[in-house]
Amino acid sequence: MASLMILKSLKNQRSFSSSFLITSSISRFVSTLILGEHEGGQLKQSSLCAVTAARAISDDNSITMLLAGSGPSLQQAASHAASIHPSMSQVFVADSDKLSHPLAEPWAELVHLVQQKGGYSHIIAASSSFGKNILPRAAALLDVSPITDVIEISGPQLFVRPIYAGNALSTVRYTGVDPCLLTIRSTSFPLPHISSDSKSEAAPVSQVDLSTFSEDILDKSRFLKLTSQDTERPDLGSARVVVTGGRGLRSAENFKLMEKLAEKLSAAVGATRAAVDAGFVPNELQVGQTGKIVAPELYMAFGVSGAIQHLAGMRDSKTLVYTLKEGVADYGLVADLMLVVYCFCSLNKLSQKLALKI
């Protein structure tokens, strides 16, 4: 009888120790691959925010940044990524003309190749057109289900994301196999703090071996051209002040007043889906559920009714100013729309700052 109790005790102790080892090994081997987006030799802010998101997964997270493209700008971006934060463990560079443009097919194949060699527990991309284009295809190649538009990370497998156009929040627990693929809303994660001695702690930069890279997928899509507006105004996704026009402006000529006002305020220009569909502005300026997600310190909306599709893209703004009473705002102005815009455009910069403070 005593021997049976001793054997049972040893068995329980053995099972406990084995489960403890499994649990500790899981927590010890959390590693994250970030799909980095760069332009002009610098990482985009959305990719920098992805570093903050990766750090929220685990304190012992090993973070790797993956960059692709060709030319000297790629090497400059790699140096920037290597020194961005002490928690960066490594930077992978895939230098090839075939990866010069962020097409889904070659990028997804690249992610699949790097994951097979690295065995990461998490793969993160920003919830931008870049990440939304690549990650679903990469998830299909890896045979996993991605979790999109994450706004909060509560643990290695616990995430919060908005549903119903941001009217509710859903907590999701990932129970699938590695890797866990995420797209994060960059406006929900602050930029990482860069220390003054970060360059002395720069992560190593390594080249990705592309000898086994499949070229069969290159025929499925091809890059035609890139159309963008040459402007000195701040980027819409990271601007401190955003001036947005809607269908109430009635024409493309009237919408040009938004650009003039944006120049006065050093702001970015946004637009509603209705304004884009009407042809007032190109769709790269669209703010909303099917456009860009912004969270500036000041969001000014002119001729915008406050449709739920639009609110989903700017509800995290610090201060909202609407010129229509239907809008959900901190401050509202019920007046003739064009008169208000003309008055703001005619003010000098000092008067504008005083008006905004009031």
Side-chain angles (χ1 to χ4, degrees):
M1 188 71 177
S3 60
L4 287 175
M5 292 180 66
I6 293 173
L7 288 174
K8 186 179 293 185
S9 175
L10 290 173
K11 183 178 180 181
N12 292 337
Q13 185 177 358
R14 196 161 48 241
S15 63
F16 171 77
S17 60
S18 62
S19 63
F20 174 77
L21 288 173
I22 293 172
T23 304
S24 60
S25 63
I26 290 174
S27 62
R28 196 165 53 240
F29 290 106
V30 174
S31 57
T32 301
L33 179 68
I34 298 175
L35 309 187
E37 189 178 6
H38 61 94
E39 185 177 19
Q42 297 289 316
L43 288 179
K44 290 194 173 181
Q45 285 198 11
S46 56
S47 296
L48 298 180
C49 294
V51 175
T52 304
R55 293 179 61 211
I57 294 175
S58 174
D59 294 334
D60 301 326
N61 194 358
S62 175
I63 303 175
T64 300
M65 179 82 71
L66 175 62
L67 300 173
S70 61
S73 63
L74 175 62
Q75 304 305 323
Q76 294 172 9
S79 299
H80 182 212
S83 59
I84 198 62
H85 199 274
S87 61
M88 188 69 64
S89 302
Q90 193 171 22
V91 176
F92 281 148
V93 174
D95 194 343
S96 173
D97 293 335
K98 303 164 187 174
L99 297 164
S100 298
H101 307 290
L103 298 177
E105 287 81 5
W107 253 97
E109 184 68 25
L110 174 64
V111 173
H112 184 243
L113 175 66
V114 173
Q115 172 61 23
Q116 283 183 323
K117 295 181 179 180
Y120 299 94
S121 63
H122 296 75
I123 298 178
I124 295 180
S127 188
S128 59
S129 56
F130 172 80
K132 290 177 181 178
N133 189 32
I134 296 168
L135 212 72
R137 187 175 182 88
L141 292 178
L142 295 168
D143 196 23
V144 296
S145 298
I147 302 175
T148 60
D149 215 20
V150 172
I151 63 171
E152 183 181 337
I153 297 176
S154 303
Q157 278 82 36
L158 201 61
F159 313 98
V160 179
R161 61 183 302 273
I163 57 175
Y164 300 118
N167 286 308
L169 298 179
S170 173
T171 301
V172 180
R173 183 181 297 277
Y174 182 74
T175 58
V177 297
D178 289 345
C180 174
L181 270 65
L182 309 171
T183 60
I184 58 104
R185 185 176 291 188
S186 57
T187 55
S188 299
F189 297 92
L191 292 171
H193 175 70
I194 304 173
S195 59
S196 57
D197 59 344
S198 58
K199 290 188 177 180
S200 62
E201 303 174 359
V205 179
S206 306
Q207 296 286 333
V208 177
D209 183 10
L210 298 176
S211 58
T212 58
F213 186 75
S214 176
E215 297 188 5
D216 297 337
I217 44 86
L218 298 178
D219 297 330
K220 295 183 178 180
S221 64
R222 60 191 178 93
F223 177 80
L224 295 179
K225 64 178 180 178
L226 174 64
T227 303
S228 63
Q229 292 183 327
D230 295 328
T231 177
E232 296 181 355
R233 289 193 297 269
D235 179 68
L236 179 58
S238 58
R240 189 183 66 85
V241 180
V242 174
V243 176
T244 293
R247 182 163 37 194
L249 291 173
R250 298 192 295 273
S251 69
E253 290 297 322
N254 290 337
F255 207 97
K256 290 181 179 179
L257 291 172
M258 294 292 98
E259 299 177 0
K260 184 178 179 181
L261 179 58
E263 291 175 2
K264 294 270 189 177
L265 299 175
S266 299
V269 176
T272 64
R273 180 175 179 175
V276 171
D277 291 344
F280 297 168
V281 289
N283 58 6
E284 65 189 49
L285 300 183
Q286 182 179 330
V287 175
Q289 188 177 13
T290 54
K292 293 185 177 180
I293 307 295
V294 300
E297 294 181 20
L298 175 63
Y299 189 88
M300 303 180 68
F302 296 88
V304 178
S305 63
I308 188 63
Q309 198 280 140
H310 183 71
L311 290 177
M314 41 65 73
R315 64 168 65 247
D316 293 330
S317 302
K318 306 301 182 293
T319 303
L320 304 178
V321 178
Y322 264 80
T323 56
L324 288 178
K325 61 183 179 180
E326 292 89 350
V328 179
D330 300 297
Y331 302 95
L333 179 60
V334 181
D336 183 86
L337 173 62
M338 301 313 298
L339 179 62
V340 171
V341 177
Y342 274 117
C343 289
F344 245 107
C345 289
S346 62
L347 292 175
N348 58 38
K349 288 191 176 182
L350 178 59
S351 299
Q352 289 165 1
K353 288 181 180 179
L354 291 174
L356 291 178
K357 287 183 179 180
I358 296 172

